[in-house]
Amino acid sequence: MITKIDHIGIAVRSLDESIPYYEKALGLKCEHRETVESQKVSTAFFHAGEVHLELLEPTSPESPIAKFLEKNPAGGVHHIAFATTDLPGQLKQASEAGVKLIHEVPFEGAAGKMVAFLHPKSTYGVLTELCAPKA
Ligand code: ZN
């Protein structure tokens, strides 16, 4: 069951350049920074009430975020992540509904969560992440 929007992923060219916007202009606080080697990104998390913002900076030209920035040079909204109580079950439900999965098997993402992505070609253009706390 999906319980909430967990976070919104935002692609940026530079965490160091973009974090001050969120801190100074919006008054949010950077809670956590972490590099996720498997996805070739450095991340920074902000609380905005119940929802987090996840800034994503590529650490390699092969990073999915680097490819996104080639198409969207200013950066921008990259994905929406839903929290689910049952990640394997949620993936099965999406798959049975005809959705193309990017990851059939969840992997460890940032902030100690298990994550998997649904293909935007199956989700009306929104790259969709499903996430759950690591069991
Ligand atoms: Zn995410």
Side-chain angles (χ1 to χ4, degrees), residues 7 54 79 81 117 129:
H7 64 268
E54 175 186 45
H79 65 269
F117 285 83
E129 175 182 338

Side-chain angles (χ1 to χ4, degrees), residues 51-116:
V51 178
H52 295 88
L53 302 178
E54 175 186 45
L55 303 188
L56 300 145
E57 175 192 318
T59 58
S60 147
E62 279 84 57
S63 167
I65 298 302
K67 294 187 168 62
F68 179 88
L69 289 169
E70 277 171 28
K71 291 181 203 145
N72 306 275
V77 173
H78 179 259
H79 65 269
I80 294 185
F82 294 100
T84 173
T85 53
D86 174 11
L87 184 48
Q90 205 76 49
L91 287 171
K92 185 162 175 280
Q93 180 181 340
S95 178
E96 285 172 359
V99 171
K100 186 172 184 301
L101 309 182
I102 296 178
H103 308 100
E104 309 253 341
V105 179
F107 62 95
E108 190 168 342
K113 292 200 170 101
M114 297 306 290
V115 305

